[in-house]
Amino acid sequence: KSPFENINYRVKKGDTLVKILKKHQIKNQDIDKAISEFKKHNKSSNIMSGFDIFLTIRNNKSLKENSLESMSIPISKSVTIEIYRDEYKELISEKIITQLFKKIRLVENKIEKSLYASAVESKIEPNIIIEFARIFGFEIDFQRDIRKNDTFQILYEKFYDENDQFIKSGSIIYAFMSVNNREIALYKFGDDKSYDYFDINGKSVVKTLMKTPINGARLSSPFGLRKHPILGYNKMHRGTDFAAPS
């Protein structure tokens, strides 16, 4: 005698979310909220025929209307919108990506102002920049080693949905830096759950001490004349600064 009912509904041609919810006597307040949540992830309220929508509803026979408890709406082969009640009994939503397609992207650039600025200019995602700095942190002192016209390369994963819309970046496969006449190439080895980076001779990049021991920092400050904080006059600044939250 549970008041809850699970429904598997196959979407037919001409169906809309409003139509389906009204068909199952969902109260107007829940319909309005469900449509609002759905449109946060999908501009149109249209749904494709042939897909199965899963609903959980609470029956209220005395009022002849039902409450929507949860709803799973596939909008493509790889994306589903989940609508459900949170701990405060409010309807909220979440976009679930069920299938992603991987592409490999190669980025290379010359450092003009700073490594961070050049990476941003190349439209590299922030998490990839941070990971790149992390794996080179054992090999390079970003405050002293980097010079203008040094170069870098990053080969990394990007994931897209079936509409070729970018969803997230993956891991770095290969990273290279030419720094102060020194060339360093690092390679990913292992699977996605457990991997590390190694040089061309198979030695791990992980050492006892990092040359740049700052986690989550960014590279800032361009080359050029800067006022020396102690000497008090302008002096050529040939390196880059590491900026980090206090």
Side-chain angles (χ1 to χ4, degrees):
K1 295 182 180 181
S2 170
F4 297 102
E5 182 182 355
N6 294 319
I7 299 166
N8 183 3
Y9 181 83
R10 175 66 56 90
V11 180
K12 302 177 182 65
K13 191 174 182 180
D15 272 341
T16 64
L17 276 183
V18 173
K19 210 175 192 179
I20 294 167
L21 292 171
K22 282 188 177 292
K23 185 173 184 177
H24 292 92
Q25 297 180 307
I26 303 298
K27 60 185 180 182
N28 290 332
Q29 182 182 348
D30 285 359
I31 292 176
D32 292 341
K33 181 61 175 172
I35 296 300
S36 173
E37 288 295 318
F38 183 77
K39 284 186 174 180
K40 287 181 180 179
H41 309 284
N42 197 51
K43 291 180 181 179
S44 170
S45 58
N46 295 335
I47 47 178
M48 297 175 65
S49 60
F51 284 114
D52 287 333
I53 289 180
F54 298 94
L55 300 97
T56 299
I57 64 175
R58 179 194 286 266
N59 292 306
N60 193 333
K61 294 179 181 178
S62 61
L63 296 175
K64 294 185 179 179
E65 63 178 14
N66 302 318
S67 297
L68 178 65
E69 294 300 313
S70 68
M71 192 174 188
S72 178
I73 314 156
I75 58 174
S76 72
K77 291 179 180 178
S78 62
V79 180
T80 299
I81 308 300
E82 299 280 352
I83 299 172
Y84 55 92
R85 293 194 183 275
D86 62 10
E87 63 268 30
Y88 305 106
K89 305 300 181 183
E90 294 290 331
L91 285 171
I92 60 172
S93 61
E94 187 178 356
K95 186 177 184 179
I96 307 296
I97 308 296
T98 56
Q99 185 180 9
L100 292 175
F101 302 92
K102 182 167 68 175
K103 293 184 180 180
I104 305 299
R105 185 188 182 207
L106 172 65
V107 181
E108 49 190 344
N109 204 352
K110 186 184 290 186
I111 300 170
E112 296 290 344
K113 295 181 179 179
S114 73
L115 174 60
Y116 183 80
S118 297
V120 170
E121 181 186 90
S122 301
K123 298 180 179 178
I124 300 172
E125 292 74 24
N127 62 308
I128 295 296
I129 300 174
I130 291 168
E131 178 68 355
F132 183 83
R134 184 192 72 80
I135 63 177
F136 271 102
F138 293 97
E139 299 288 337
I140 293 172
D141 184 334
F142 287 109
Q143 291 178 303
R144 298 174 179 83
D145 293 344
I146 295 178
R147 298 291 181 267
K148 188 174 181 178
N149 294 325
D150 285 344
T151 60
F152 67 91
Q153 292 179 336
I154 309 177
L155 186 72
Y156 70 99
E157 302 165 332
K158 296 187 75 171
F159 292 92
Y160 297 80
D161 65 15
E162 62 184 8
N163 297 316
D164 209 33
Q165 181 180 348
F166 173 71
I167 302 298
K168 65 176 183 176
S169 53
S171 57
I172 295 173
I173 299 170
Y174 165 80
F176 170 86
M177 287 199 77
S178 175
V179 178
N180 206 9
N181 297 319
R182 180 185 173 207
E183 294 187 345
I184 307 168
L186 302 176
Y187 304 83
K188 175 187 173 184
F189 183 78
D191 56 34
D192 288 335
K193 292 182 180 179
S194 177
Y195 63 87
D196 215 325
Y197 293 91
F198 300 83
D199 66 15
I200 198 167
N201 297 312
K203 291 183 179 179
S204 172
V205 299
V206 179
K207 298 179 175 66
T208 306
L209 295 174
M210 296 183 77
K211 289 192 174 182
T212 310
I214 301 177
N215 187 26
R218 63 181 177 84
L219 295 165
S220 63
S221 298
F223 303 103
L225 286 173
R226 295 261 298 279
K227 187 174 181 179
H228 196 285
I230 298 172
L231 301 177
Y233 57 83
N234 287 339
K235 187 177 180 182
M236 181 60 71
H237 175 65
R238 300 186 182 278
T240 56
D241 289 340
F242 230 118
S246 58

